[in-house]
Amino acid sequence: MTGVAVCSGSVSSIKSLWETRIKKTKQDLQKQQEQRAGVGRVRHNWEDRIILAKLKEKVVTEEGRVILRIEKEEWKTLPRALVHFPQLMEWQLHRVGLQTIPRFISSFENLLVLDLSRNAITEIPKEIGKLTRLRELLVSYNRVQSVPEELGCCENLEKLELAMNRDLDELPSEIGNLKKLCHLDLSMNQFTEIPESVVSLPALEWLDMGGNRLQSLPHDIHRMEKLHTMWLQRNELEFLPDNICYMRSLDTLVLSNNKLHDIPSMMEDMNNLRFVNFRDNPLTYEVELPAAPKKSEDEEEDDREMFGRDFMRVYCQEARKRVNAMLNMHRVNPPESNYTSELNVILEAVAESAPSL
């Protein structure tokens, strides 16, 4: 019995010893982990301090605006430490290789200008809709493929530039909610039509859709009542809608390098047009402008700007003259619309006079 008691006591002692050792080992491991975490926190704090110090060097104040300005440096992502600068009113980050707009962008409620041109951004986050004071969003020369519908919540946006994003071919209907948007650049993308949301913008004054794949213009384009400048060069337009003649605010219209065959005759009466360009289009008629008297260099520069308008008027007159001549030849009373309709009458007259086969 005594031997059994001794064995039981020995087992209990060994068990207690192992439990003590295991407990101490766990405590040592926990202590090491805490030490490593402490070192990590210290290192992280130092890294944050270094980043903050670096960012502070990029913050300037101009004309009362606090601006973050970074150019030609490597910043593929922006650190969250940036939220320590909630007073920022402008971001100007050019050629820094930025790939994403951080979702914490919504923290910058005072932001008025977000200029991220010439980077590698592929997406505009939906958090952009939180920036209700934003006036300018410039994301040209990036890789943006789509625009979030939340952008329509930026009720104070006045200027939007999305040029040269290559794969961009549509806009959400919510863009039509931007009642203050007056400047829109969608050039050098893949649009095949002017989005309805753009046509419905009530304050739009300046539109660039050059270098897209536009095949036609909306028939209700005259709804863009405040538009004064429209760039449509290097597209695939074959005709212009007659209602373009009712765009009373339009004073600059660029249509070079398209596939236009004719000019609506009523455009001759667009006295509001200061500059128009029809160069490099396969127009039906060839016309020559009358020689102008010799003028000073300044006046010659003005003439070069006016060349397109003078050409447009002479073209319309020449086209009407030829149509009327053909109508008279076939003894058809010309309608009072435009010469496009007149041409249809001529074709009908020719068809009636042709001998039956």
Side-chain angles (χ1 to χ4, degrees), residues 165-203:
N165 278 285
R166 296 187 179 179
D167 292 329
L168 190 62
D169 60 2
E170 63 180 358
L171 293 177
S173 59
E174 287 77 10
I175 291 296
N177 297 332
L178 302 175
K179 305 303 182 185
K180 295 183 180 181
L181 191 67
C182 58
H183 177 109
L184 178 59
D185 189 350
L186 298 173
S187 60
M188 294 179 286
N189 287 301
Q190 297 294 318
F191 288 91
T192 58
E193 62 181 4
I194 298 180
E196 165 61 25
S197 57
V198 172
V199 178
S200 64
L201 290 169

mmCIF file of all heavy atoms in Angstrom, residues 165-203:
data_model
loop_
_atom_site.group_PDB
_atom_site.id
_atom_site.type_symbol
_atom_site.label_atom_id
_atom_site.label_comp_id
_atom_site.label_asym_id
_atom_site.label_seq_id
_atom_site.Cartn_x
_atom_site.Cartn_y
_atom_site.Cartn_z
ATOM 1 N N ASN A 165 -9.876 58.140 -71.994
ATOM 2 C CA ASN A 165 -9.922 56.950 -71.157
ATOM 3 C C ASN A 165 -10.146 55.694 -72.005
ATOM 4 O O ASN A 165 -10.264 54.602 -71.488
ATOM 5 C CB ASN A 165 -11.007 57.089 -70.088
ATOM 6 C CG ASN A 165 -10.526 57.900 -68.896
ATOM 7 O OD1 ASN A 165 -9.757 57.422 -68.069
ATOM 8 N ND2 ASN A 165 -10.948 59.151 -68.823
ATOM 9 N N ARG A 166 -10.251 55.902 -73.317
ATOM 10 C CA ARG A 166 -10.217 54.861 -74.357
ATOM 11 C C ARG A 166 -11.400 53.909 -74.346
ATOM 12 O O ARG A 166 -12.079 53.762 -75.352
ATOM 13 C CB ARG A 166 -8.894 54.086 -74.267
ATOM 14 C CG ARG A 166 -7.698 54.968 -74.568
ATOM 15 C CD ARG A 166 -6.414 54.158 -74.647
ATOM 16 N NE ARG A 166 -5.270 55.026 -74.961
ATOM 17 C CZ ARG A 166 -4.026 54.592 -75.074
ATOM 18 N NH1 ARG A 166 -3.740 53.309 -74.928
ATOM 19 N NH2 ARG A 166 -3.057 55.442 -75.357
ATOM 20 N N ASP A 167 -11.648 53.191 -73.250
ATOM 21 C CA ASP A 167 -12.720 52.192 -73.248
ATOM 22 C C ASP A 167 -14.044 52.752 -72.746
ATOM 23 O O ASP A 167 -15.039 52.028 -72.704
ATOM 24 C CB ASP A 167 -12.323 50.987 -72.385
ATOM 25 C CG ASP A 167 -11.172 50.193 -72.995
ATOM 26 O OD1 ASP A 167 -11.084 50.167 -74.235
ATOM 27 O OD2 ASP A 167 -10.363 49.621 -72.248
ATOM 28 N N LEU A 168 -14.091 54.000 -72.393
ATOM 29 C CA LEU A 168 -15.319 54.606 -71.877
ATOM 30 C C LEU A 168 -16.294 54.840 -73.022
ATOM 31 O O LEU A 168 -15.968 55.503 -74.012
ATOM 32 C CB LEU A 168 -14.988 55.929 -71.181
ATOM 33 C CG LEU A 168 -16.116 56.595 -70.384
ATOM 34 C CD1 LEU A 168 -16.561 55.704 -69.233
ATOM 35 C CD2 LEU A 168 -15.658 57.954 -69.868
ATOM 36 N N ASP A 169 -17.519 54.288 -72.911
ATOM 37 C CA ASP A 169 -18.473 54.410 -74.015
ATOM 38 C C ASP A 169 -19.893 54.736 -73.564
ATOM 39 O O ASP A 169 -20.809 54.778 -74.390
ATOM 40 C CB ASP A 169 -18.489 53.132 -74.862
ATOM 41 C CG ASP A 169 -18.881 51.898 -74.062
ATOM 42 O OD1 ASP A 169 -19.181 52.025 -72.856
ATOM 43 O OD2 ASP A 169 -18.871 50.788 -74.633
ATOM 44 N N GLU A 170 -20.101 54.972 -72.286
ATOM 45 C CA GLU A 170 -21.432 55.328 -71.819
ATOM 46 C C GLU A 170 -21.357 56.072 -70.492
ATOM 47 O O GLU A 170 -20.344 56.007 -69.787
ATOM 48 C CB GLU A 170 -22.325 54.091 -71.679
ATOM 49 C CG GLU A 170 -21.834 53.090 -70.649
ATOM 50 C CD GLU A 170 -22.756 51.882 -70.534
ATOM 51 O OE1 GLU A 170 -23.789 51.860 -71.234
ATOM 52 O OE2 GLU A 170 -22.455 50.978 -69.733
ATOM 53 N N LEU A 171 -22.446 56.766 -70.172
ATOM 54 C CA LEU A 171 -22.574 57.478 -68.904
ATOM 55 C C LEU A 171 -23.884 57.064 -68.255
ATOM 56 O O LEU A 171 -24.863 56.779 -68.955
ATOM 57 C CB LEU A 171 -22.568 58.997 -69.118
ATOM 58 C CG LEU A 171 -21.277 59.652 -69.630
ATOM 59 C CD1 LEU A 171 -21.504 61.135 -69.831
ATOM 60 C CD2 LEU A 171 -20.123 59.409 -68.671
ATOM 61 N N PRO A 172 -23.952 57.054 -66.930
ATOM 62 C CA PRO A 172 -25.218 56.712 -66.265
ATOM 63 C C PRO A 172 -26.238 57.828 -66.447
ATOM 64 O O PRO A 172 -25.875 59.003 -66.619
ATOM 65 C CB PRO A 172 -24.804 56.552 -64.792
ATOM 66 C CG PRO A 172 -23.596 57.419 -64.645
ATOM 67 C CD PRO A 172 -22.865 57.312 -65.961
ATOM 68 N N SER A 173 -27.491 57.473 -66.422
ATOM 69 C CA SER A 173 -28.554 58.472 -66.603
ATOM 70 C C SER A 173 -28.534 59.519 -65.497
ATOM 71 O O SER A 173 -28.994 60.647 -65.698
ATOM 72 C CB SER A 173 -29.920 57.775 -66.635
ATOM 73 O OG SER A 173 -30.147 57.059 -65.424
ATOM 74 N N GLU A 174 -27.971 59.153 -64.330
ATOM 75 C CA GLU A 174 -27.931 60.082 -63.192
ATOM 76 C C GLU A 174 -27.076 61.314 -63.465
ATOM 77 O O GLU A 174 -27.180 62.317 -62.740
ATOM 78 C CB GLU A 174 -27.412 59.356 -61.942
ATOM 79 C CG GLU A 174 -28.382 58.380 -61.308
ATOM 80 C CD GLU A 174 -28.490 57.055 -62.072
ATOM 81 O OE1 GLU A 174 -27.680 56.834 -62.986
ATOM 82 O OE2 GLU A 174 -29.372 56.242 -61.741
ATOM 83 N N ILE A 175 -26.241 61.260 -64.504
ATOM 84 C CA ILE A 175 -25.440 62.434 -64.860
ATOM 85 C C ILE A 175 -26.359 63.618 -65.176
ATOM 86 O O ILE A 175 -26.006 64.784 -64.974
ATOM 87 C CB ILE A 175 -24.534 62.124 -66.068
ATOM 88 C CG1 ILE A 175 -23.434 61.137 -65.659
ATOM 89 C CG2 ILE A 175 -23.902 63.392 -66.636
ATOM 90 C CD1 ILE A 175 -22.461 61.659 -64.634
ATOM 91 N N GLY A 176 -27.545 63.317 -65.658
ATOM 92 C CA GLY A 176 -28.512 64.369 -65.965
ATOM 93 C C GLY A 176 -28.949 65.166 -64.751
ATOM 94 O O GLY A 176 -29.585 66.217 -64.892
ATOM 95 N N ASN A 177 -28.618 64.678 -63.539
ATOM 96 C CA ASN A 177 -28.976 65.389 -62.304
ATOM 97 C C ASN A 177 -28.014 66.525 -61.984
ATOM 98 O O ASN A 177 -28.253 67.291 -61.045
ATOM 99 C CB ASN A 177 -29.004 64.416 -61.118
ATOM 100 C CG ASN A 177 -30.053 63.333 -61.269
ATOM 101 O OD1 ASN A 177 -31.071 63.535 -61.926
ATOM 102 N ND2 ASN A 177 -29.808 62.172 -60.679
ATOM 103 N N LEU A 178 -26.929 66.631 -62.744
ATOM 104 C CA LEU A 178 -25.914 67.654 -62.459
ATOM 105 C C LEU A 178 -26.373 68.987 -63.055
ATOM 106 O O LEU A 178 -25.962 69.382 -64.147
ATOM 107 C CB LEU A 178 -24.562 67.224 -63.026
ATOM 108 C CG LEU A 178 -24.030 65.886 -62.493
ATOM 109 C CD1 LEU A 178 -22.737 65.493 -63.200
ATOM 110 C CD2 LEU A 178 -23.800 65.976 -60.983
ATOM 111 N N LYS A 179 -27.208 69.673 -62.329
ATOM 112 C CA LYS A 179 -27.866 70.880 -62.832
ATOM 113 C C LYS A 179 -26.914 72.054 -63.026
ATOM 114 O O LYS A 179 -27.260 73.012 -63.734
ATOM 115 C CB LYS A 179 -28.988 71.299 -61.864
ATOM 116 C CG LYS A 179 -30.010 70.213 -61.567
ATOM 117 C CD LYS A 179 -30.660 69.696 -62.843
ATOM 118 C CE LYS A 179 -31.715 68.631 -62.532
ATOM 119 N NZ LYS A 179 -32.280 68.039 -63.773
ATOM 120 N N LYS A 180 -25.707 71.991 -62.435
ATOM 121 C CA LYS A 180 -24.763 73.105 -62.561
ATOM 122 C C LYS A 180 -23.607 72.796 -63.510
ATOM 123 O O LYS A 180 -22.740 73.646 -63.718
ATOM 124 C CB LYS A 180 -24.202 73.479 -61.188
ATOM 125 C CG LYS A 180 -25.247 74.022 -60.223
ATOM 126 C CD LYS A 180 -24.609 74.441 -58.908
ATOM 127 C CE LYS A 180 -25.653 74.994 -57.946
ATOM 128 N NZ LYS A 180 -25.036 75.429 -56.661
ATOM 129 N N LEU A 181 -23.598 71.613 -64.085
ATOM 130 C CA LEU A 181 -22.487 71.221 -64.954
ATOM 131 C C LEU A 181 -22.505 72.060 -66.233
ATOM 132 O O LEU A 181 -23.463 72.016 -67.009
ATOM 133 C CB LEU A 181 -22.577 69.738 -65.298
ATOM 134 C CG LEU A 181 -21.344 69.144 -65.986
ATOM 135 C CD1 LEU A 181 -20.164 69.125 -65.033
ATOM 136 C CD2 LEU A 181 -21.621 67.744 -66.502
ATOM 137 N N CYS A 182 -21.430 72.800 -66.483
ATOM 138 C CA CYS A 182 -21.373 73.657 -67.668
ATOM 139 C C CYS A 182 -20.223 73.286 -68.606
ATOM 140 O O CYS A 182 -20.187 73.749 -69.748
ATOM 141 C CB CYS A 182 -21.259 75.124 -67.252
ATOM 142 S SG CYS A 182 -19.841 75.511 -66.221
ATOM 143 N N HIS A 183 -19.295 72.442 -68.157
ATOM 144 C CA HIS A 183 -18.122 72.068 -68.967
ATOM 145 C C HIS A 183 -17.970 70.552 -68.922
ATOM 146 O O HIS A 183 -17.829 69.971 -67.843
ATOM 147 C CB HIS A 183 -16.877 72.751 -68.390
ATOM 148 C CG HIS A 183 -15.610 72.392 -69.096
ATOM 149 N ND1 HIS A 183 -14.918 73.276 -69.903
ATOM 150 C CD2 HIS A 183 -14.874 71.247 -69.109
ATOM 151 C CE1 HIS A 183 -13.821 72.690 -70.366
ATOM 152 N NE2 HIS A 183 -13.781 71.454 -69.903
ATOM 153 N N LEU A 184 -17.994 69.904 -70.099
ATOM 154 C CA LEU A 184 -17.898 68.440 -70.155
ATOM 155 C C LEU A 184 -16.965 68.024 -71.290
ATOM 156 O O LEU A 184 -17.185 68.370 -72.451
ATOM 157 C CB LEU A 184 -19.284 67.836 -70.370
ATOM 158 C CG LEU A 184 -19.365 66.306 -70.502
ATOM 159 C CD1 LEU A 184 -18.809 65.624 -69.261
ATOM 160 C CD2 LEU A 184 -20.800 65.862 -70.763
ATOM 161 N N ASP A 185 -15.926 67.281 -70.937
ATOM 162 C CA ASP A 185 -14.956 66.791 -71.928
ATOM 163 C C ASP A 185 -14.998 65.263 -71.954
ATOM 164 O O ASP A 185 -14.584 64.606 -70.994
ATOM 165 C CB ASP A 185 -13.557 67.278 -71.571
ATOM 166 C CG ASP A 185 -12.541 66.992 -72.693
ATOM 167 O OD1 ASP A 185 -12.901 66.260 -73.628
ATOM 168 O OD2 ASP A 185 -11.407 67.502 -72.613
ATOM 169 N N LEU A 186 -15.502 64.712 -73.057
ATOM 170 C CA LEU A 186 -15.581 63.254 -73.245
ATOM 171 C C LEU A 186 -14.787 62.839 -74.480
ATOM 172 O O LEU A 186 -15.022 61.771 -75.048
ATOM 173 C CB LEU A 186 -17.040 62.823 -73.403
ATOM 174 C CG LEU A 186 -17.973 63.078 -72.226
ATOM 175 C CD1 LEU A 186 -19.415 62.743 -72.604
ATOM 176 C CD2 LEU A 186 -17.550 62.264 -71.003
ATOM 177 N N SER A 187 -13.849 63.659 -74.893
ATOM 178 C CA SER A 187 -13.120 63.409 -76.136
ATOM 179 C C SER A 187 -12.226 62.179 -76.042
ATOM 180 O O SER A 187 -11.813 61.757 -74.958
ATOM 181 C CB SER A 187 -12.275 64.634 -76.506
ATOM 182 O OG SER A 187 -11.341 64.938 -75.487
ATOM 183 N N MET A 188 -11.946 61.593 -77.225
ATOM 184 C CA MET A 188 -11.035 60.469 -77.368
ATOM 185 C C MET A 188 -11.425 59.272 -76.516
ATOM 186 O O MET A 188 -10.639 58.723 -75.758
ATOM 187 C CB MET A 188 -9.590 60.918 -77.067
ATOM 188 C CG MET A 188 -9.069 61.910 -78.074
ATOM 189 S SD MET A 188 -7.383 62.498 -77.735
ATOM 190 C CE MET A 188 -7.696 63.591 -76.355
ATOM 191 N N ASN A 189 -12.689 58.881 -76.651
ATOM 192 C CA ASN A 189 -13.205 57.676 -76.010
ATOM 193 C C ASN A 189 -13.902 56.810 -77.061
ATOM 194 O O ASN A 189 -13.524 56.849 -78.226
ATOM 195 C CB ASN A 189 -14.130 58.064 -74.846
ATOM 196 C CG ASN A 189 -13.370 58.595 -73.640
ATOM 197 O OD1 ASN A 189 -12.522 57.907 -73.074
ATOM 198 N ND2 ASN A 189 -13.648 59.829 -73.256
ATOM 199 N N GLN A 190 -14.922 56.068 -76.666
ATOM 200 C CA GLN A 190 -15.568 55.134 -77.593
ATOM 201 C C GLN A 190 -17.076 55.377 -77.715
ATOM 202 O O GLN A 190 -17.827 54.454 -78.042
ATOM 203 C CB GLN A 190 -15.314 53.692 -77.129
ATOM 204 C CG GLN A 190 -13.859 53.266 -77.123
ATOM 205 C CD GLN A 190 -13.282 53.218 -78.522
ATOM 206 O OE1 GLN A 190 -13.921 52.763 -79.457
ATOM 207 N NE2 GLN A 190 -12.054 53.706 -78.676
ATOM 208 N N PHE A 191 -17.532 56.589 -77.496
ATOM 209 C CA PHE A 191 -18.962 56.884 -77.588
ATOM 210 C C PHE A 191 -19.438 56.815 -79.040
ATOM 211 O O PHE A 191 -18.784 57.338 -79.939
ATOM 212 C CB PHE A 191 -19.255 58.278 -77.022
ATOM 213 C CG PHE A 191 -19.140 58.371 -75.525
ATOM 214 C CD1 PHE A 191 -17.929 58.720 -74.929
ATOM 215 C CD2 PHE A 191 -20.234 58.104 -74.714
ATOM 216 C CE1 PHE A 191 -17.809 58.803 -73.559
ATOM 217 C CE2 PHE A 191 -20.125 58.188 -73.322
ATOM 218 C CZ PHE A 191 -18.907 58.533 -72.743
ATOM 219 N N THR A 192 -20.586 56.178 -79.244
ATOM 220 C CA THR A 192 -21.187 56.111 -80.583
ATOM 221 C C THR A 192 -22.350 57.081 -80.717
ATOM 222 O O THR A 192 -22.891 57.260 -81.804
ATOM 223 C CB THR A 192 -21.671 54.687 -80.895
ATOM 224 O OG1 THR A 192 -22.615 54.281 -79.884
ATOM 225 C CG2 THR A 192 -20.503 53.703 -80.902
ATOM 226 N N GLU A 193 -22.747 57.705 -79.613
ATOM 227 C CA GLU A 193 -23.807 58.700 -79.622
ATOM 228 C C GLU A 193 -23.629 59.637 -78.438
ATOM 229 O O GLU A 193 -22.927 59.310 -77.479
ATOM 230 C CB GLU A 193 -25.187 58.034 -79.553
ATOM 231 C CG GLU A 193 -25.399 57.229 -78.276
ATOM 232 C CD GLU A 193 -26.755 56.545 -78.226
ATOM 233 O OE1 GLU A 193 -27.494 56.637 -79.229
ATOM 234 O OE2 GLU A 193 -27.082 55.950 -77.192
ATOM 235 N N ILE A 194 -24.246 60.791 -78.516
ATOM 236 C CA ILE A 194 -24.244 61.704 -77.376
ATOM 237 C C ILE A 194 -25.274 61.184 -76.384
ATOM 238 O O ILE A 194 -26.460 61.091 -76.729
ATOM 239 C CB ILE A 194 -24.581 63.142 -77.797
ATOM 240 C CG1 ILE A 194 -23.523 63.664 -78.784
ATOM 241 C CG2 ILE A 194 -24.648 64.054 -76.582
ATOM 242 C CD1 ILE A 194 -23.777 65.077 -79.263
ATOM 243 N N PRO A 195 -24.873 60.820 -75.166
ATOM 244 C CA PRO A 195 -25.832 60.243 -74.218
ATOM 245 C C PRO A 195 -27.001 61.182 -73.935
ATOM 246 O O PRO A 195 -26.838 62.403 -73.905
ATOM 247 C CB PRO A 195 -24.973 60.028 -72.958
ATOM 248 C CG PRO A 195 -23.567 59.943 -73.458
ATOM 249 C CD PRO A 195 -23.513 60.883 -74.628
ATOM 250 N N GLU A 196 -28.166 60.601 -73.730
ATOM 251 C CA GLU A 196 -29.355 61.383 -73.404
ATOM 252 C C GLU A 196 -29.127 62.205 -72.141
ATOM 253 O O GLU A 196 -29.612 63.340 -72.017
ATOM 254 C CB GLU A 196 -30.550 60.439 -73.223
ATOM 255 C CG GLU A 196 -31.764 61.045 -72.546
ATOM 256 C CD GLU A 196 -32.345 62.234 -73.320
ATOM 257 O OE1 GLU A 196 -32.135 62.301 -74.543
ATOM 258 O OE2 GLU A 196 -33.002 63.079 -72.683
ATOM 259 N N SER A 197 -28.365 61.645 -71.182
ATOM 260 C CA SER A 197 -28.099 62.364 -69.939
ATOM 261 C C SER A 197 -27.306 63.643 -70.187
ATOM 262 O O SER A 197 -27.395 64.601 -69.415
ATOM 263 C CB SER A 197 -27.337 61.464 -68.959
ATOM 264 O OG SER A 197 -26.127 60.980 -69.527
ATOM 265 N N VAL A 198 -26.534 63.676 -71.280
ATOM 266 C CA VAL A 198 -25.777 64.879 -71.637
ATOM 267 C C VAL A 198 -26.697 65.903 -72.302
ATOM 268 O O VAL A 198 -26.642 67.098 -72.005
ATOM 269 C CB VAL A 198 -24.597 64.526 -72.569
ATOM 270 C CG1 VAL A 198 -23.917 65.786 -73.099
ATOM 271 C CG2 VAL A 198 -23.586 63.666 -71.827
ATOM 272 N N VAL A 199 -27.551 65.437 -73.210
ATOM 273 C CA VAL A 199 -28.480 66.337 -73.904
ATOM 274 C C VAL A 199 -29.386 67.053 -72.902
ATOM 275 O O VAL A 199 -29.770 68.208 -73.110
ATOM 276 C CB VAL A 199 -29.326 65.555 -74.926
ATOM 277 C CG1 VAL A 199 -30.335 66.466 -75.611
ATOM 278 C CG2 VAL A 199 -28.418 64.906 -75.971
ATOM 279 N N SER A 200 -29.700 66.386 -71.797
ATOM 280 C CA SER A 200 -30.646 66.943 -70.831
ATOM 281 C C SER A 200 -29.995 67.847 -69.788
ATOM 282 O O SER A 200 -30.691 68.379 -68.925
ATOM 283 C CB SER A 200 -31.392 65.803 -70.121
ATOM 284 O OG SER A 200 -30.484 65.007 -69.365
ATOM 285 N N LEU A 201 -28.675 68.040 -69.865
ATOM 286 C CA LEU A 201 -28.007 68.911 -68.886
ATOM 287 C C LEU A 201 -28.419 70.366 -69.121
ATOM 288 O O LEU A 201 -28.115 70.937 -70.169
ATOM 289 C CB LEU A 201 -26.486 68.766 -69.001
ATOM 290 C CG LEU A 201 -25.906 67.426 -68.536
ATOM 291 C CD1 LEU A 201 -24.439 67.311 -68.942
ATOM 292 C CD2 LEU A 201 -26.056 67.283 -67.019
ATOM 293 N N PRO A 202 -29.085 70.997 -68.158
ATOM 294 C CA PRO A 202 -29.666 72.322 -68.406
ATOM 295 C C PRO A 202 -28.657 73.468 -68.464
ATOM 296 O O PRO A 202 -28.926 74.497 -69.084
ATOM 297 C CB PRO A 202 -30.621 72.515 -67.216
ATOM 298 C CG PRO A 202 -30.010 71.686 -66.120
ATOM 299 C CD PRO A 202 -29.404 70.490 -66.814
ATOM 300 N N ALA A 203 -27.477 73.314 -67.839
ATOM 301 C CA ALA A 203 -26.515 74.415 -67.765
ATOM 302 C C ALA A 203 -25.306 74.219 -68.672
ATOM 303 O O ALA A 203 -24.395 75.046 -68.668
ATOM 304 C CB ALA A 203 -26.046 74.602 -66.315
#
